């Protein structure tokens, strides 16, 4: 899924607002309100980049075969699909080339209302991904050149579900309820009608109430630790990444998959420095021979670069 974001300005020279619309086509030519597109979003497919096992059914099938390649291409070039065959779409080509767009034309995120709400039970990554993998993924979102997006409560690792809910008149509400349950018939665990009936009814007020944040969570030790980590990463981004984004040129990113679940990504930043990432979501460490000179270390989610379930960022001076 991609989102096109266009700039809107007030009539008296006020600061710009951003407006977005969604498309699954991965179109680099889509335009919303002006010929100049401000940003398009893409998400890391969290089932293939942060969990120990990849889902291979439904719309997840597009990302199951080569997760490192999809992750590297999305980070370096914007869209994971740029004309490649899409298994979920019956082998039809999906997307257009996007490497010529600047990194700041993309918004990156692990979770949003769709990625969480479209789970059958609204489960967040914090409840189903191992902490080291989630830590690595957060570092990638917050320190890569794309614009990061955080979903409500993500910054403290909220465990509250965020379910699909709506408030429609009875006829439409019935159609939405049944349509949502039919949607999950593609997944093996929901092929049985009785299993689909367990998916929460989006029209019930209890479904909405279950989706509210628990504002006491950030005061608890485990959640406070996640919040401190997000703050640390955002401070590194403010200090080290943002000042170097202006002036990034076309085709500024490149990547090299080291295996099915490990990848190296490099970006030439606007000041001529080079940002380097080693992301390893495999169970084995990256070979030392594959680790390039990373310059000054900016952040490591594990003690050693290339450790299983880790992300490491370095910065090479011009």
């Amino acid at each position: 899924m991609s989102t096109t974001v266009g700039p809107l300005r007030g009539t008296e020279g006020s600061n710009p607002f951003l407006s977005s619309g969604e498309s699954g086509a991965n179109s680099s030519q889509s335009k919303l309100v002006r010929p100049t597109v401000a940003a398009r979003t893409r998400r890391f497919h969290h089932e293939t980049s942060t969990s120990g096992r990849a889902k291979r059914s439904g719309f997840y099938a597009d990302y199951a075969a080569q997760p490192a390649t999809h992750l590297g291409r999305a980070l370096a070039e914007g869209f994971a699909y740029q004309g490649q065959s899409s298994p979920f779409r019956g082998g039809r080509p999906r997307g257009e080339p996007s490497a010529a767009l600047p990194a700041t034309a993309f918004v990156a995120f692990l979770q949003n209302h769709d990625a969480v709400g479209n789970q059958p039970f609204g489960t967040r990554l914090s409840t189903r991904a191992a902490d080291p993998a989630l830590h690595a993924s957060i570092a990638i979102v917050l320190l890569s050149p794309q614009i990061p997006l955080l979903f409500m409560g993500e910054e403290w690792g909220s465990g509250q579900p965020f379910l699909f809910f709506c408030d429609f008149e009875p006829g439409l509400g019935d159609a939405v309820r049944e349509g949502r349950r039919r949607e999950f018939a593609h997944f093996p665990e929901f092929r049985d009608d009785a299993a689909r009936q367990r998916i929460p009814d989006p029209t019930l007020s209890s479904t909405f109430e279950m989706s509210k944040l628990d504002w006491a969570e950030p005061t608890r030790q485990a959640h406070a630790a996640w919040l401190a980590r997000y703050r640390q990463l955002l401070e590194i981004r403010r200090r080290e990444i943002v000042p170097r984004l202006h002036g990034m040129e076309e085709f500024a990113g490149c990547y090299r998959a080291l295996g099915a679940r490990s990848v190296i990504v490099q970006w030439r930043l606007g000041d001529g420095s080079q940002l380097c990432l080693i992301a390893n979501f495999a169970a084995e460490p990256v070979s030392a021979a594959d680790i390039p000179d990373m310059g000054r270390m900016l952040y490591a989610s594990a003690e050693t670069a290339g450790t299983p379930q880790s992300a490491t960022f370095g910065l090479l001076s011009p």
Side-chain angles (χ1 to χ4, degrees):
M1 183 70 70
S2 65
T3 301
T4 304
V5 182
L8 296 169
R9 290 186 179 273
T11 57
E12 298 180 2
S14 60
N15 291 330
F17 296 90
L18 295 179
S19 177
S20 65
E22 291 183 295
S23 167
N26 280 14
S27 171
S28 62
Q29 304 300 316
S30 61
K31 297 177 175 61
L32 185 62
V33 285
R34 285 190 174 187
T36 301
V37 174
R40 300 172 178 86
T41 74
R42 55 109 184 108
R43 66 170 176 256
F44 304 149
H45 208 276
H46 46 258
E47 291 298 334
T48 55
S49 66
T50 67
S51 65
R53 60 182 178 81
K55 286 190 176 181
R56 296 179 179 273
S57 54
F59 48 81
Y60 294 104
D62 271 357
Y63 304 91
Q66 297 177 302
T69 297
H70 288 298
L71 178 61
R73 187 183 297 134
L75 288 168
E77 301 178 1
F79 291 142
Y81 275 85
Q82 300 180 33
Q84 291 82 11
S85 172
S86 163
F88 179 62
R89 291 161 176 78
R92 297 190 302 275
R94 177 189 179 191
E96 299 171 349
S98 57
L101 293 169
T104 50
F106 296 91
V107 178
F109 55 93
L110 288 179
Q111 304 176 85
N112 72 348
H113 66 286
D114 279 336
V116 182
N118 285 340
Q119 297 289 321
F121 300 104
T123 52
R124 294 170 179 260
L125 283 177
S126 58
T127 67
R128 66 184 198 276
D131 280 2
L134 187 56
H135 184 181
S137 300
I138 290 164
I140 292 171
V141 169
L142 295 183
L143 297 184
S144 297
Q146 293 92 343
I147 301 169
L149 177 150
L150 301 180
F151 182 60
M152 62 178 218
E154 175 190 340
E155 65 273 29
W156 65 74
S158 175
Q160 290 292 108
F162 183 82
L163 296 153
F164 182 88
F165 56 83
C166 60
D167 183 16
F168 296 140
E169 61 269 18
L172 180 55
D174 292 342
V176 170
R177 180 196 309 110
E178 296 309 312
R180 176 164 172 77
R181 288 171 174 168
R182 282 196 305 272
E183 177 185 353
F184 288 102
H186 294 287
F187 296 85
E189 59 267 43
F190 292 108
R191 285 177 182 160
D192 180 73
D193 183 65
R196 292 195 296 275
Q197 294 303 313
R198 296 199 302 271
I199 296 172
D201 184 341
T203 68
L204 295 180
S205 59
S206 58
T207 302
F208 168 69
E209 293 297 329
M210 289 172 60
S211 303
K212 291 183 177 181
L213 288 175
D214 177 0
W215 289 98
E217 277 186 328
T219 66
R220 298 167 191 153
Q221 184 175 0
H223 295 289
W226 279 112
L227 184 57
R229 183 172 287 157
Y230 272 79
R231 285 172 169 163
Q232 179 187 4
L233 286 162
L234 286 168
E235 172 56 26
I236 295 171
R237 179 179 185 84
R238 182 196 66 79
R239 185 180 68 245
E240 302 283 2
I241 307 300
V242 172
R244 295 180 166 91
L245 295 179
H246 181 70
M248 287 185 70
E249 298 178 350
E250 297 180 349
F251 304 101
C254 62
Y255 70 96
R256 175 166 58 97
L258 302 177
R261 304 179 71 82
S262 305
V263 67
I264 292 175
V265 187
Q266 295 171 301
W267 299 268
R268 181 68 61 182
L269 302 180
D271 65 350
S273 60
Q274 183 171 277
L275 182 65
C276 181
L277 162 68
I278 297 178
N280 182 21
F281 292 99
E284 305 78 25
V286 170
S287 168
D290 287 323
I291 298 178
D293 178 11
M294 300 187 69
R296 177 166 57 91
M297 193 70 65
L298 294 183
Y299 190 83
S301 69
E303 291 185 3
T304 306
T307 296
Q309 307 297 304
S310 71
T312 305
F313 278 89
L315 186 69
L316 280 164
S317 299

